[in-house]
Amino acid sequence: MNGTTDVFAIPLEDGAQLVYAPLHGVAFAATKGLVAALSDVLAGEGRDDSVVALARETGLLREPPSPVTRRSGAPSPTEVTLFLTTACNLRCTYCYASAGDTPATYMTMDVAKRGIDFVIDNARREGAPFAGVNYHGGGEPSVHWRLMTESLGYARERAGDLEVIAASAGNGVFTDRQIDWMIAHLNGGMSLSFDGLPEAHDKHRPTVRGTGSSARVMHTMRRFTEAGYPYAVRLTVTAEQIPLLPDSIEFVLSNFTPKRVQVEPAYQLGRHAGKADAETEEFIAAYREAQGRAARFGHELIYSAARVGTLTNHFCGVTQDNFCLSPAGNVSACFEAFSEDNEFADVFFYGSSGPDGYTFDMDRLDRLRGLGVEHRSFCDGCFAKWNCAGDCYHKSLSANGRGEFTGSQRCHITRELVKDQLLTRIAGAGGLLWRDTRDGEPCGVHGGEHE
């Protein structure tokens, strides 16, 4: 729209347009005539009193706040994510890490202790309300069970009166003893991978013996549900299973009580490289139908890059000093760059551990800090720019290589789903105008988008 780079007019199917000013926190539907008149007003040329009043009432005449932040100086993280192992008890067909295809690596207690000591000392020095200990990586964290339990026990003992919030991603194939421990000790919750209908899940998430894993995962979710334990579910959708997505969502929400449900098309990485692309128009259509079914249960589905209510130049912690430790003790900013032999390890690994503590490559860290969406020319002029924040940088490297970002089919999916979210919020606000009154915040260490 003329006069400002923050106000967008998005065409709708009925000939109307959706006016969205993300930095002003305003969205409303309008006719083409109103959009033209509003454009003139914002350019300082319009004189229609009613349109001027609308622009003033919605705050569009004010300078909007900037969502751009950037860290500087030596990193001082107060949360650590431990990549405990590359071993896994499943052999998922779309595993981005190809877990189990190469000899497994395991973190030692010394590596875990150094990372935990570092973030606890930082948290104390900075007066942080808590220190965070998270479990993730290129394998299943619970496979390295002894270190998982002992490292968290050490963290809580070391922290003393400082609270420790612990969370994990997991595949849900746990014993009852493990489930009991998770309920008692992982106070930050668990993000579980589950693909919905058992037949959909079992086809792509078999055990190492080739048998289905859905019954085990559902047992875990029942246990979590009975305990009132906070957990999230993440569904990965392959191309051939897109038609099953609505039924999968209904199955999950009819039988279990996750706090949130995230849906992502399978990424063409690892074992899924070269397979049929699920980032299609068919995915958008199935997601929309699934969203309608989720709404009957009071849920709004999550797609990691479509985040109305969040305004930021950071998609995730990659640009915010994410402190993740590989089994060898080196520091990565990215959940998917969990190993030093990752194709893009030279981009994401920015630190190493030695007898005198951590040594950081500040040039590499500053390059990561500078990867905010405001520096992506392709994203200029996109109405979803400050919601999406450029999407996952690791996946953009995989799709576009190391050159200038040129977009992907995910960009189209994101724009369509952001538009849907805006229309839903306008309808929920009475059908005329939606104002964003929530404080959005960037995707955290356990945003769930990495699986």
Side-chain angles (χ1 to χ4, degrees):
M1 186 177 288
N2 293 334
T4 178
T5 57
D6 174 51
V7 185
F8 302 90
I10 307 162
L12 300 175
E13 291 182 357
D14 58 4
Q17 298 200 20
L18 173 61
V19 176
Y20 180 37
L23 298 186
H24 292 87
V26 171
F28 56 91
T31 64
K32 290 183 178 179
L34 176 56
V35 168
L38 181 60
S39 179
D40 289 342
V41 167
L42 296 178
E45 301 171 356
R47 309 197 186 283
D48 186 312
D49 289 345
S50 63
V51 179
V52 171
L54 173 64
R56 185 175 294 113
E57 176 193 350
T58 54
L60 296 181
L61 297 180
R62 294 195 299 269
E63 185 70 21
S66 171
V68 174
T69 61
R70 179 169 176 167
R71 300 199 178 194
S72 61
S76 184
T78 58
E79 295 192 39
V80 61
T81 297
L82 302 176
F83 298 156
L84 295 185
T85 181
T86 59
C88 191
N89 49 0
L90 297 186
R91 291 296 182 269
C92 302
T93 64
Y94 50 66
C95 179
Y96 72 87
S98 299
D101 290 356
T102 57
T105 57
Y106 296 86
M107 181 177 286
T108 66
M109 187 63 169
D110 284 344
V111 168
K113 281 183 175 180
R114 282 197 294 272
I116 290 167
D117 288 345
F118 186 58
V119 298
I120 288 176
D121 289 343
N122 291 338
R124 287 194 182 284
R125 185 178 60 254
E126 297 182 9
F130 65 89
V133 178
N134 307 301
Y135 300 98
H136 209 284
E140 166 54 42
S142 65
V143 168
H144 201 2
W145 184 246
R146 182 172 179 177
L147 184 58
M148 190 176 194
T149 58
E150 291 186 354
S151 63
L152 186 53
Y154 173 80
R156 292 211 159 101
E157 181 179 357
R158 175 72 164 71
D161 58 358
L162 176 67
E163 183 180 11
V164 173
I165 295 182
S168 183
N171 62 27
V173 181
F174 310 137
T175 67
D176 278 313
R177 180 173 64 90
Q178 290 174 323
I179 293 169
D180 290 339
W181 182 89
M182 291 170 180
I183 292 170
H185 294 92
L186 294 179
N187 54 346
M190 169 71 70
S191 177
L192 292 173
S193 296
F194 181 63
D195 290 347
L197 293 171
E199 58 266 33
H201 180 97
D202 290 339
K203 181 173 181 179
H204 291 285
R205 300 186 67 83
T207 67
V208 291
R209 295 185 177 88
T211 58
S213 61
S214 63
R216 297 281 301 278
V217 183
M218 289 190 290
H219 173 74
T220 296
M221 289 194 290
R222 290 189 193 99
R223 289 287 320 277
F224 284 172
T225 295
E226 291 166 0
Y229 180 72
Y231 67 98
V233 168
R234 184 260 174 65
L235 286 85
T236 299
V237 184
T238 59
E240 80 277 9
Q241 293 191 335
I242 288 174
L244 300 178
L245 177 58
D247 287 344
S248 283
I249 292 298
E250 186 153 358
F251 178 82
V252 170
L253 295 176
S254 294
N255 292 283
F256 308 101
T257 58
K259 299 299 183 184
R260 69 179 188 273
V261 180
Q262 179 178 349
V263 177
E264 301 287 340
Y267 303 126
Q268 293 178 298
L269 300 173
R271 289 198 193 103
H272 206 62
K275 299 297 195 302
D277 191 357
E279 297 172 359
T280 61
E281 292 287 348
E282 290 76 16
F283 174 82
I284 297 172
Y287 187 99
R288 284 171 168 157
E289 184 179 345
Q291 186 71 272
R293 302 218 196 160
R296 299 174 198 166
F297 296 89
H299 275 260
E300 182 174 25
L301 299 181
I302 294 172
Y303 174 82
S304 59
R307 306 181 295 186
V308 169
T310 294
L311 297 176
T312 178
N313 60 325
H314 307 285
F315 173 73
C316 69
V318 159
T319 51
Q320 300 184 94
D321 300 0
N322 227 7
F323 183 67
C324 308
L325 296 183
S326 73
N330 296 312
V331 183
S332 173
C334 178
F335 294 151
E336 294 183 4
F338 55 86
S339 172
E340 291 78 1
D341 61 5
N342 179 275
E343 179 181 3
F344 303 112
D346 62 310
V347 174
F348 295 109
F349 275 84
Y350 68 91
S352 58
S353 174
D356 298 322
Y358 289 97
T359 301
F360 299 107
D361 183 332
M362 293 305 299
D363 289 338
R364 189 172 291 182
L365 180 58
D366 284 340
R367 284 196 293 273
L368 288 169
R369 290 168 168 173
L371 293 174
V373 71
E374 73 275 18
H375 298 305
R376 278 193 174 180
S377 59
F378 178 84
C379 301
D380 290 344
C382 176
F383 67 84
K385 172 180 178 177
W386 301 116
N387 307 126
C388 159
D391 206 349
C392 172
Y393 188 64
H394 187 280
K395 292 178 181 65
S396 73
L397 286 175
S398 300
N400 290 269
R402 294 171 183 259
E404 181 71 18
F405 180 67
T406 57
S408 69
Q409 180 62 14
R410 278 183 63 87
C411 294
H412 175 58
I413 295 173
T414 297
R415 286 190 288 266
E416 288 297 298
L417 298 186
V418 165
K419 181 176 69 175
D420 289 352
Q421 290 177 5
L422 291 169
L423 292 173
T424 297
R425 282 156 177 73
I426 292 170
L432 297 177
L433 181 144
W434 170 72
R435 294 179 186 274
D436 185 2
T437 58
R438 297 179 300 168
D439 292 326
E441 58 185 37
C443 180
V445 170
H446 279 277
E449 71 280 5
H450 300 283
E451 171 58 26

